[in-house]
Amino acid sequence: MNASSALEFSAALDVVHVTDAVQSWPGLQHWSIDALHRMVFDFDRLPFSRASELRLLAGRLDDRNCLVVSHEAGGEAWDWLQGRAQWDPVVGVVADADFEATLSRHGAAMRAMDSVSDDAVPTDEDDMQVPELSLAGLADEPNQVVRVMGSTLFDAFRSGASDIHVESNPSGARIQYRLDGVLVPGGRIDGREMTEQAISRIKVLSALDVGERRIPQDGRFRMRIEGRPVDFRVSIMPSAHGEDAVLRILDRRALADEHAGLNLERLGFGGQALEELRELARRPHGMLLVTGPTGSGKTTTLYAALSEVNSGRQKIITIEDPIEYQLDGVLQVPVNEKTGLTFGRGLRAILRHDPDTLLVGEIRDEETAQIAVQAALTGHLVLSSIHANTVFDVLARFFHMGVDPYNLTSALNGVVAQRLIRLGCPRCAESVAVPPVLRDKYLGLRHVEQASRGRGCGDCRGTGYRGRRAIAEVLRIDDSVREGILNRESPRSLRARAVAAGMVTLADRAAELVAEQRTSLEELERVADAG
């Protein structure tokens, strides 16, 4: 058995304890988890349940037949291989934690073999009948496409993914899950025909036009998984190799649990950022803006701020698209473009409803921006989000929408730039040296010699990260910053003024977490580049 040069091997078998049964295998190599991530597993050759028992996985990598064996495997695994000598695979041993991480990535989908059944189950909210997605009794489902898509939906839900990406390619499709904001492998579909059938299955579930493949389509469907209703929002897009699909997973019960007792501290804000956010949210009037990319938790932060100021003694009204969660004691108005209820029109009506505090889901256009600024100037507290990369890009967005700089600086209390940063997995964390160039680059790492990095394990699906928390850069509009804005100074000059006044940047917030061994240097660099 010859090792392929394209694989990342090390001859140092003593890095893990290897059983005598495994140590005797000829040509055995030690593999890194990077090689496992690149391997395409063959569960037809070695079924998943049997692979779990043997502590052995079969597949291909770099056009070679390969076997992965856990360092804790016994003699039964060798007996299985002896009966397939003609296969001539490259054999690599991996640490048991890496083997478990690989099993975790593929386990639910392969064990489930579940599908979307036609059994109707009424939802809690209405009399609609929704299909049940379960692990029980569906292994003999005759339709392979139904099995594949059902297992994908179930696996993604159980993994805590926020999105499923089905990406067509010349040989089929790649399935990826968005976990903690980052795409990770979720499986694959072999063959163009099977991929087309899988996309058609999604269209059928979403009540979309199966025959239309030239234009984008949007839809949604609902499943009952483990006794709870789960919504899937679907986007189908034509691509060079057919069609791609993205399914957003919306677990309303999990959302309700997340928002129960919601406050800024629970989101992970702490120290100076927490106090600044609370102070800005509790002012009697003015405007507080939260900015950041899609999926950075802007709406959740606004909800948390509202929850903290919702004492019952003020009239609080929101206008949102859509309403993501019901807030007690708050009048929530949904935007409806079809009926003409836009953000601007709804906001004008809300101001006639005697509010004290307003939440505008997003400022998208000139009309909404102008009305929101006027509301803040006339004694209301306005909370809103706006899409921009940095706190200073927010100012440029308002100027581009025709808002007068003097009115903006008079109305604006502060701007919060927010990111969600991944936390290292505590189970597989290992220490790495902090390069001198990073210690010089980030003030928070000046005296930090060692950082933490997750290797990947079963708990984190091999990613090295488990969970996220919010970090924020809070720009308070004081006299110095206000003067710089009115003078139309550059973002660099405004940032220098803000930092001199005590603003802590996103990069510095992330560096603090690195110093506390809670996240990695790679996450620090990602957040610093994004901010």
PDB file of all heavy atoms in Angstrom, residues 90-117:
ATOM      1  N   VAL A  90      -4.760   3.237   0.049  1.00  0.00           N
ATOM      2  CA  VAL A  90      -3.855   3.919   0.975  1.00  0.00           C
ATOM      3  C   VAL A  90      -4.537   3.900   2.341  1.00  0.00           C
ATOM      4  O   VAL A  90      -5.732   4.174   2.448  1.00  0.00           O
ATOM      5  CB  VAL A  90      -3.608   5.375   0.531  1.00  0.00           C
ATOM      6  CG1 VAL A  90      -2.767   6.111   1.558  1.00  0.00           C
ATOM      7  CG2 VAL A  90      -2.943   5.403  -0.826  1.00  0.00           C
ATOM      8  N   VAL A  91      -3.804   3.569   3.392  1.00  0.00           N
ATOM      9  CA  VAL A  91      -4.402   3.450   4.726  1.00  0.00           C
ATOM     10  C   VAL A  91      -3.754   4.460   5.661  1.00  0.00           C
ATOM     11  O   VAL A  91      -2.530   4.543   5.752  1.00  0.00           O
ATOM     12  CB  VAL A  91      -4.241   2.026   5.290  1.00  0.00           C
ATOM     13  CG1 VAL A  91      -4.895   1.936   6.670  1.00  0.00           C
ATOM     14  CG2 VAL A  91      -4.862   1.016   4.348  1.00  0.00           C
ATOM     15  N   GLY A  92      -4.592   5.237   6.327  1.00  0.00           N
ATOM     16  CA  GLY A  92      -4.097   6.220   7.279  1.00  0.00           C
ATOM     17  C   GLY A  92      -4.785   6.076   8.619  1.00  0.00           C
ATOM     18  O   GLY A  92      -5.976   5.780   8.693  1.00  0.00           O
ATOM     19  N   VAL A  93      -4.039   6.279   9.694  1.00  0.00           N
ATOM     20  CA  VAL A  93      -4.597   6.246  11.039  1.00  0.00           C
ATOM     21  C   VAL A  93      -4.782   7.679  11.517  1.00  0.00           C
ATOM     22  O   VAL A  93      -3.971   8.557  11.208  1.00  0.00           O
ATOM     23  CB  VAL A  93      -3.699   5.457  12.013  1.00  0.00           C
ATOM     24  CG1 VAL A  93      -2.342   6.116  12.188  1.00  0.00           C
ATOM     25  CG2 VAL A  93      -4.381   5.289  13.373  1.00  0.00           C
ATOM     26  N   VAL A  94      -5.875   7.924  12.223  1.00  0.00           N
ATOM     27  CA  VAL A  94      -6.140   9.257  12.761  1.00  0.00           C
ATOM     28  C   VAL A  94      -6.475   9.139  14.235  1.00  0.00           C
ATOM     29  O   VAL A  94      -6.884   8.071  14.722  1.00  0.00           O
ATOM     30  CB  VAL A  94      -7.327   9.940  12.022  1.00  0.00           C
ATOM     31  CG1 VAL A  94      -7.002  10.147  10.567  1.00  0.00           C
ATOM     32  CG2 VAL A  94      -8.604   9.148  12.183  1.00  0.00           C
ATOM     33  N   ALA A  95      -6.292  10.239  14.952  1.00  0.00           N
ATOM     34  CA  ALA A  95      -6.689  10.283  16.349  1.00  0.00           C
ATOM     35  C   ALA A  95      -8.191  10.027  16.461  1.00  0.00           C
ATOM     36  O   ALA A  95      -8.960  10.388  15.574  1.00  0.00           O
ATOM     37  CB  ALA A  95      -6.330  11.638  16.963  1.00  0.00           C
ATOM     38  N   ASP A  96      -8.595   9.390  17.551  1.00  0.00           N
ATOM     39  CA  ASP A  96     -10.000   9.027  17.693  1.00  0.00           C
ATOM     40  C   ASP A  96     -10.905  10.260  17.688  1.00  0.00           C
ATOM     41  O   ASP A  96     -12.027  10.207  17.194  1.00  0.00           O
ATOM     42  CB  ASP A  96     -10.212   8.236  18.988  1.00  0.00           C
ATOM     43  CG  ASP A  96     -11.572   7.545  19.013  1.00  0.00           C
ATOM     44  OD1 ASP A  96     -11.812   6.692  18.135  1.00  0.00           O
ATOM     45  OD2 ASP A  96     -12.391   7.881  19.875  1.00  0.00           O
ATOM     46  N   ALA A  97     -10.428  11.390  18.238  1.00  0.00           N
ATOM     47  CA  ALA A  97     -11.234  12.613  18.228  1.00  0.00           C
ATOM     48  C   ALA A  97     -11.494  13.077  16.800  1.00  0.00           C
ATOM     49  O   ALA A  97     -12.595  13.535  16.476  1.00  0.00           O
ATOM     50  CB  ALA A  97     -10.531  13.712  19.025  1.00  0.00           C
ATOM     51  N   ASP A  98     -10.479  12.954  15.920  1.00  0.00           N
ATOM     52  CA  ASP A  98     -10.667  13.324  14.518  1.00  0.00           C
ATOM     53  C   ASP A  98     -11.618  12.365  13.824  1.00  0.00           C
ATOM     54  O   ASP A  98     -12.431  12.759  12.983  1.00  0.00           O
ATOM     55  CB  ASP A  98      -9.323  13.346  13.791  1.00  0.00           C
ATOM     56  CG  ASP A  98      -8.398  14.440  14.305  1.00  0.00           C
ATOM     57  OD1 ASP A  98      -8.904  15.333  15.003  1.00  0.00           O
ATOM     58  OD2 ASP A  98      -7.195  14.385  14.005  1.00  0.00           O
ATOM     59  N   PHE A  99     -11.514  11.081  14.167  1.00  0.00           N
ATOM     60  CA  PHE A  99     -12.420  10.089  13.590  1.00  0.00           C
ATOM     61  C   PHE A  99     -13.858  10.382  14.010  1.00  0.00           C
ATOM     62  O   PHE A  99     -14.781  10.344  13.188  1.00  0.00           O
ATOM     63  CB  PHE A  99     -11.993   8.690  14.055  1.00  0.00           C
ATOM     64  CG  PHE A  99     -12.695   7.573  13.331  1.00  0.00           C
ATOM     65  CD1 PHE A  99     -12.170   7.038  12.170  1.00  0.00           C
ATOM     66  CD2 PHE A  99     -13.891   7.051  13.820  1.00  0.00           C
ATOM     67  CE1 PHE A  99     -12.816   6.013  11.500  1.00  0.00           C
ATOM     68  CE2 PHE A  99     -14.544   6.025  13.153  1.00  0.00           C
ATOM     69  CZ  PHE A  99     -14.003   5.500  11.985  1.00  0.00           C
ATOM     70  N   GLU A 100     -14.054  10.722  15.284  1.00  0.00           N
ATOM     71  CA  GLU A 100     -15.394  11.044  15.777  1.00  0.00           C
ATOM     72  C   GLU A 100     -15.952  12.291  15.095  1.00  0.00           C
ATOM     73  O   GLU A 100     -17.137  12.385  14.804  1.00  0.00           O
ATOM     74  CB  GLU A 100     -15.358  11.246  17.294  1.00  0.00           C
ATOM     75  CG  GLU A 100     -15.305   9.963  18.088  1.00  0.00           C
ATOM     76  CD  GLU A 100     -16.562   9.126  17.919  1.00  0.00           C
ATOM     77  OE1 GLU A 100     -17.638   9.688  17.670  1.00  0.00           O
ATOM     78  OE2 GLU A 100     -16.456   7.887  18.009  1.00  0.00           O
ATOM     79  N   ALA A 101     -15.066  13.278  14.854  1.00  0.00           N
ATOM     80  CA  ALA A 101     -15.515  14.498  14.167  1.00  0.00           C
ATOM     81  C   ALA A 101     -16.019  14.170  12.769  1.00  0.00           C
ATOM     82  O   ALA A 101     -17.027  14.718  12.306  1.00  0.00           O
ATOM     83  CB  ALA A 101     -14.365  15.504  14.090  1.00  0.00           C
ATOM     84  N   THR A 102     -15.334  13.248  12.091  1.00  0.00           N
ATOM     85  CA  THR A 102     -15.751  12.855  10.750  1.00  0.00           C
ATOM     86  C   THR A 102     -17.075  12.098  10.787  1.00  0.00           C
ATOM     87  O   THR A 102     -17.969  12.331   9.962  1.00  0.00           O
ATOM     88  CB  THR A 102     -14.659  11.982  10.101  1.00  0.00           C
ATOM     89  OG1 THR A 102     -13.424  12.703  10.128  1.00  0.00           O
ATOM     90  CG2 THR A 102     -15.005  11.657   8.661  1.00  0.00           C
ATOM     91  N   LEU A 103     -17.212  11.196  11.745  1.00  0.00           N
ATOM     92  CA  LEU A 103     -18.478  10.494  11.899  1.00  0.00           C
ATOM     93  C   LEU A 103     -19.619  11.470  12.165  1.00  0.00           C
ATOM     94  O   LEU A 103     -20.721  11.317  11.641  1.00  0.00           O
ATOM     95  CB  LEU A 103     -18.392   9.491  13.048  1.00  0.00           C
ATOM     96  CG  LEU A 103     -17.586   8.205  12.828  1.00  0.00           C
ATOM     97  CD1 LEU A 103     -17.637   7.352  14.087  1.00  0.00           C
ATOM     98  CD2 LEU A 103     -18.107   7.423  11.641  1.00  0.00           C
ATOM     99  N   SER A 104     -19.333  12.476  12.989  1.00  0.00           N
ATOM    100  CA  SER A 104     -20.376  13.444  13.336  1.00  0.00           C
ATOM    101  C   SER A 104     -20.835  14.211  12.105  1.00  0.00           C
ATOM    102  O   SER A 104     -22.022  14.489  11.946  1.00  0.00           O
ATOM    103  CB  SER A 104     -19.843  14.413  14.396  1.00  0.00           C
ATOM    104  OG  SER A 104     -20.806  15.371  14.722  1.00  0.00           O
ATOM    105  N   ARG A 105     -19.894  14.573  11.218  1.00  0.00           N
ATOM    106  CA  ARG A 105     -20.264  15.332  10.026  1.00  0.00           C
ATOM    107  C   ARG A 105     -21.185  14.540   9.113  1.00  0.00           C
ATOM    108  O   ARG A 105     -22.045  15.090   8.448  1.00  0.00           O
ATOM    109  CB  ARG A 105     -19.009  15.751   9.241  1.00  0.00           C
ATOM    110  CG  ARG A 105     -18.248  16.890   9.864  1.00  0.00           C
ATOM    111  CD  ARG A 105     -17.364  17.565   8.827  1.00  0.00           C
ATOM    112  NE  ARG A 105     -16.495  16.634   8.136  1.00  0.00           N
ATOM    113  CZ  ARG A 105     -15.320  16.230   8.591  1.00  0.00           C
ATOM    114  NH1 ARG A 105     -14.879  16.671   9.741  1.00  0.00           N
ATOM    115  NH2 ARG A 105     -14.575  15.381   7.905  1.00  0.00           N
ATOM    116  N   HIS A 106     -20.984  13.203   9.070  1.00  0.00           N
ATOM    117  CA  HIS A 106     -21.736  12.393   8.120  1.00  0.00           C
ATOM    118  C   HIS A 106     -22.814  11.537   8.792  1.00  0.00           C
ATOM    119  O   HIS A 106     -23.673  10.999   8.105  1.00  0.00           O
ATOM    120  CB  HIS A 106     -20.785  11.462   7.358  1.00  0.00           C
ATOM    121  CG  HIS A 106     -19.800  12.198   6.508  1.00  0.00           C
ATOM    122  ND1 HIS A 106     -20.089  12.623   5.237  1.00  0.00           N
ATOM    123  CD2 HIS A 106     -18.535  12.605   6.760  1.00  0.00           C
ATOM    124  CE1 HIS A 106     -19.028  13.253   4.734  1.00  0.00           C
ATOM    125  NE2 HIS A 106     -18.087  13.259   5.637  1.00  0.00           N
ATOM    126  N   GLY A 107     -22.772  11.449  10.109  1.00  0.00           N
ATOM    127  CA  GLY A 107     -23.585  10.465  10.799  1.00  0.00           C
ATOM    128  C   GLY A 107     -25.069  10.635  10.657  1.00  0.00           C
ATOM    129  O   GLY A 107     -25.777   9.709  10.270  1.00  0.00           O
ATOM    130  N   ALA A 108     -25.573  11.830  10.982  1.00  0.00           N
ATOM    131  CA  ALA A 108     -27.030  12.002  11.001  1.00  0.00           C
ATOM    132  C   ALA A 108     -27.640  11.751   9.632  1.00  0.00           C
ATOM    133  O   ALA A 108     -28.679  11.105   9.503  1.00  0.00           O
ATOM    134  CB  ALA A 108     -27.376  13.412  11.480  1.00  0.00           C
ATOM    135  N   ALA A 109     -26.968  12.246   8.603  1.00  0.00           N
ATOM    136  CA  ALA A 109     -27.523  12.082   7.259  1.00  0.00           C
ATOM    137  C   ALA A 109     -27.549  10.612   6.841  1.00  0.00           C
ATOM    138  O   ALA A 109     -28.506  10.142   6.234  1.00  0.00           O
ATOM    139  CB  ALA A 109     -26.708  12.899   6.258  1.00  0.00           C
ATOM    140  N   MET A 110     -26.494   9.866   7.187  1.00  0.00           N
ATOM    141  CA  MET A 110     -26.425   8.480   6.750  1.00  0.00           C
ATOM    142  C   MET A 110     -27.290   7.570   7.612  1.00  0.00           C
ATOM    143  O   MET A 110     -27.864   6.605   7.134  1.00  0.00           O
ATOM    144  CB  MET A 110     -24.963   7.994   6.780  1.00  0.00           C
ATOM    145  CG  MET A 110     -24.047   8.758   5.833  1.00  0.00           C
ATOM    146  SD  MET A 110     -24.676   8.812   4.138  1.00  0.00           S
ATOM    147  CE  MET A 110     -24.809   7.074   3.777  1.00  0.00           C
ATOM    148  N   ARG A 111     -27.377   7.870   8.918  1.00  0.00           N
ATOM    149  CA  ARG A 111     -28.201   7.035   9.792  1.00  0.00           C
ATOM    150  C   ARG A 111     -29.675   7.262   9.530  1.00  0.00           C
ATOM    151  O   ARG A 111     -30.491   6.352   9.616  1.00  0.00           O
ATOM    152  CB  ARG A 111     -27.885   7.338  11.264  1.00  0.00           C
ATOM    153  CG  ARG A 111     -26.764   6.506  11.834  1.00  0.00           C
ATOM    154  CD  ARG A 111     -26.770   6.621  13.349  1.00  0.00           C
ATOM    155  NE  ARG A 111     -26.650   7.998  13.775  1.00  0.00           N
ATOM    156  CZ  ARG A 111     -25.505   8.579  14.076  1.00  0.00           C
ATOM    157  NH1 ARG A 111     -24.385   7.903  13.989  1.00  0.00           N
ATOM    158  NH2 ARG A 111     -25.477   9.843  14.460  1.00  0.00           N
ATOM    159  N   ALA A 112     -29.991   8.513   9.267  1.00  0.00           N
ATOM    160  CA  ALA A 112     -31.405   8.864   9.194  1.00  0.00           C
ATOM    161  C   ALA A 112     -32.122   8.112   8.084  1.00  0.00           C
ATOM    162  O   ALA A 112     -33.111   7.432   8.330  1.00  0.00           O
ATOM    163  CB  ALA A 112     -31.556  10.360   8.976  1.00  0.00           C
ATOM    164  N   MET A 113     -31.625   8.265   6.861  1.00  0.00           N
ATOM    165  CA  MET A 113     -32.312   7.735   5.696  1.00  0.00           C
ATOM    166  C   MET A 113     -33.791   8.079   5.789  1.00  0.00           C
ATOM    167  O   MET A 113     -34.673   7.329   5.375  1.00  0.00           O
ATOM    168  CB  MET A 113     -32.120   6.212   5.593  1.00  0.00           C
ATOM    169  CG  MET A 113     -30.676   5.807   5.343  1.00  0.00           C
ATOM    170  SD  MET A 113     -30.008   6.495   3.820  1.00  0.00           S
ATOM    171  CE  MET A 113     -30.866   5.478   2.654  1.00  0.00           C
ATOM    172  N   ASP A 114     -34.020   9.220   6.440  1.00  0.00           N
ATOM    173  CA  ASP A 114     -35.401   9.621   6.645  1.00  0.00           C
ATOM    174  C   ASP A 114     -35.853  10.436   5.457  1.00  0.00           C
ATOM    175  O   ASP A 114     -35.086  10.810   4.600  1.00  0.00           O
ATOM    176  CB  ASP A 114     -35.537  10.446   7.926  1.00  0.00           C
ATOM    177  CG  ASP A 114     -34.724  11.699   7.841  1.00  0.00           C
ATOM    178  OD1 ASP A 114     -33.485  11.603   7.755  1.00  0.00           O
ATOM    179  OD2 ASP A 114     -35.310  12.777   7.844  1.00  0.00           O
ATOM    180  N   SER A 115     -37.112  10.725   5.397  1.00  0.00           N
ATOM    181  CA  SER A 115     -37.639  11.462   4.269  1.00  0.00           C
ATOM    182  C   SER A 115     -38.852  12.239   4.672  1.00  0.00           C
ATOM    183  O   SER A 115     -39.317  12.177   5.797  1.00  0.00           O
ATOM    184  CB  SER A 115     -38.004  10.508   3.125  1.00  0.00           C
ATOM    185  OG  SER A 115     -39.135   9.765   3.506  1.00  0.00           O
ATOM    186  N   VAL A 116     -39.361  12.990   3.726  1.00  0.00           N
ATOM    187  CA  VAL A 116     -40.585  13.724   3.926  1.00  0.00           C
ATOM    188  C   VAL A 116     -41.744  12.770   3.672  1.00  0.00           C
ATOM    189  O   VAL A 116     -41.972  12.327   2.556  1.00  0.00           O
ATOM    190  CB  VAL A 116     -40.659  14.908   2.957  1.00  0.00           C
ATOM    191  CG1 VAL A 116     -41.931  15.683   3.171  1.00  0.00           C
ATOM    192  CG2 VAL A 116     -39.440  15.790   3.132  1.00  0.00           C
ATOM    193  N   SER A 117     -42.482  12.453   4.716  1.00  0.00           N
ATOM    194  CA  SER A 117     -43.607  11.550   4.535  1.00  0.00           C
ATOM    195  C   SER A 117     -44.839  12.347   4.170  1.00  0.00           C
ATOM    196  O   SER A 117     -44.871  13.560   4.243  1.00  0.00           O
ATOM    197  CB  SER A 117     -43.847  10.749   5.815  1.00  0.00           C
ATOM    198  OG  SER A 117     -44.458  11.569   6.784  1.00  0.00           O
TER     199      SER A 117
END
